Amino acid sequence: KAGVTQTPRYLIKTRGQQVTLSCSPISGHRSVSWYQQTPGQGLQFLFEYFSETQRNKGNFPGRFSGRQFSNSRSEMNVSTLELGDSALYLCASSWAPGGRMNTEAFFGQGTRLTVV
Amino acid sequence: DQQVKQNSPSLSVQEGRISILNCDYTNSMFDYFLWYKKYPAEGPTFLISISSIKDKNEDGRFTVFLNKSAKHLSLHIVPSQPGDSAVYFCAATSGANNLFFGTGTRLTVIP
């Protein structure tokens, strides 16, 4: 079956702009989590959605937001971009929410965002 | 506050020898631990996990050890192969909460 699809793969934006990233989970998976990966910080949890509801949220400013649609596809939005937002953004899908079930979580290839 | 720490950013090991990757955590509520492997330009893939009720879990060449009193876990790869060269992340969770990841260790297996 098709894996987790993230679009776009690469993105260059200017400070102050806003950006929307997309994640299509594996068919049948209803949970989508988003992570930010930066050198030296590892994978930082952004938020998790299940059945269109945000279940958990990490320690990120309100400029970072997300949503999930009825078909389980998810988007994350970053407004007023800062240079420090440059990172690899990864989404993971699983059939159920919660970290424990992430043994069955599958990650997408990520979106590389560069803010200039 | 980094609740899961991997203090070695990189590790080089000769092919055929043992690779030992270490991970420390601070949150005593964590009760489930996982290791993920990540190749360049790919997302992380699940490798092996361990519940806090165990102190060892083995899967082929990969073994994870958990020392709850020291809040420490390690991943052993024996024997190491060049294809094991990747970044390894440890992660921890409790209950139905999200995963907390470490900063990763880049393993290079030298042929």
Side-chain angles (χ1 to χ4, degrees):
Chain A
K1 53 184 175 183
V4 179
T5 304
Q6 289 188 248
T7 56
R9 289 290 312 278
Y10 302 93
L11 206 49
I12 300 176
K13 288 286 189 178
T14 306
R15 268 183 305 174
Q17 287 187 309
Q18 68 96 26
V19 67
T20 299
L21 311 181
S22 179
C23 173
S24 293
I26 290 171
S27 177
H29 285 188
R30 294 165 62 194
S31 174
V32 173
S33 298
W34 288 89
Y35 296 86
Q36 181 195 66
Q37 185 189 0
T38 54
Q41 291 293 317
L43 278 75
Q44 302 285 314
F45 173 74
L46 281 153
F47 21 68
E48 177 187 31
Y49 286 88
F50 180 74
S51 294
E52 302 177 66
T53 302
Q54 188 180 88
R55 285 192 71 252
N56 280 313
K57 189 176 191 305
N59 190 24
F60 278 80
R63 300 185 297 108
F64 292 80
S65 62
R67 58 178 175 169
Q68 187 180 35
F69 302 94
S70 58
N71 62 357
S72 295
R73 189 177 72 85
S74 177
E75 288 182 347
M76 68 162 280
N77 185 278
V78 189
S79 62
T80 321
L81 283 165
E82 301 176 0
L83 295 179
D85 297 332
S86 294
L88 179 68
Y89 290 87
L90 291 158
C91 91
S93 80
S94 57
W95 66 272
R100 191 176 305 277
M101 291 301 175
N102 269 276
T103 56
E104 297 173 34
F106 296 85
F107 280 84
Q109 290 181 293
T111 294
R112 172 74 61 185
L113 171 66
T114 302
V115 182
V116 297
Chain B
D1 178 31
Q2 196 74 29
Q3 299 189 49
V4 179
K5 300 177 185 178
Q6 294 175 259
N7 293 318
S8 298
S10 62
L11 175 68
S12 290
V13 170
Q14 208 73 33
E15 180 179 3
R17 308 293 284 266
I18 183 172
S19 295
I20 300 176
L21 296 91
N22 294 304
C23 178
D24 298 293
Y25 60 95
T26 58
N27 190 338
S28 58
M29 297 300 291
F30 288 147
D31 62 357
Y32 200 76
F33 306 88
L34 308 91
W35 284 93
Y36 282 83
K37 180 165 81 171
K38 185 179 184 302
Y39 292 117
E42 293 183 16
T45 54
F46 168 73
L47 194 56
I48 192 169
S49 63
I50 187 167
S51 165
S52 61
I53 63 173
K54 295 184 175 180
D55 54 19
K56 176 183 173 182
N57 188 27
E58 196 170 349
D59 183 3
R61 297 186 296 113
F62 302 91
T63 303
V64 56
F65 294 92
L66 175 62
N67 183 334
K68 289 186 291 295
S69 60
K71 295 193 181 66
H72 177 85
L73 65 155
S74 61
L75 174 69
H76 292 209
I77 306 173
V78 182
S80 300
Q81 299 173 353
D84 296 329
S85 297
V87 177
Y88 289 78
F89 292 96
C90 72
T93 186
S94 63
N97 294 315
N98 57 276
L99 288 170
F100 290 86
F101 281 87
T103 51
T105 295
R106 182 178 301 280
L107 173 66
T108 302
V109 180
I110 304 164

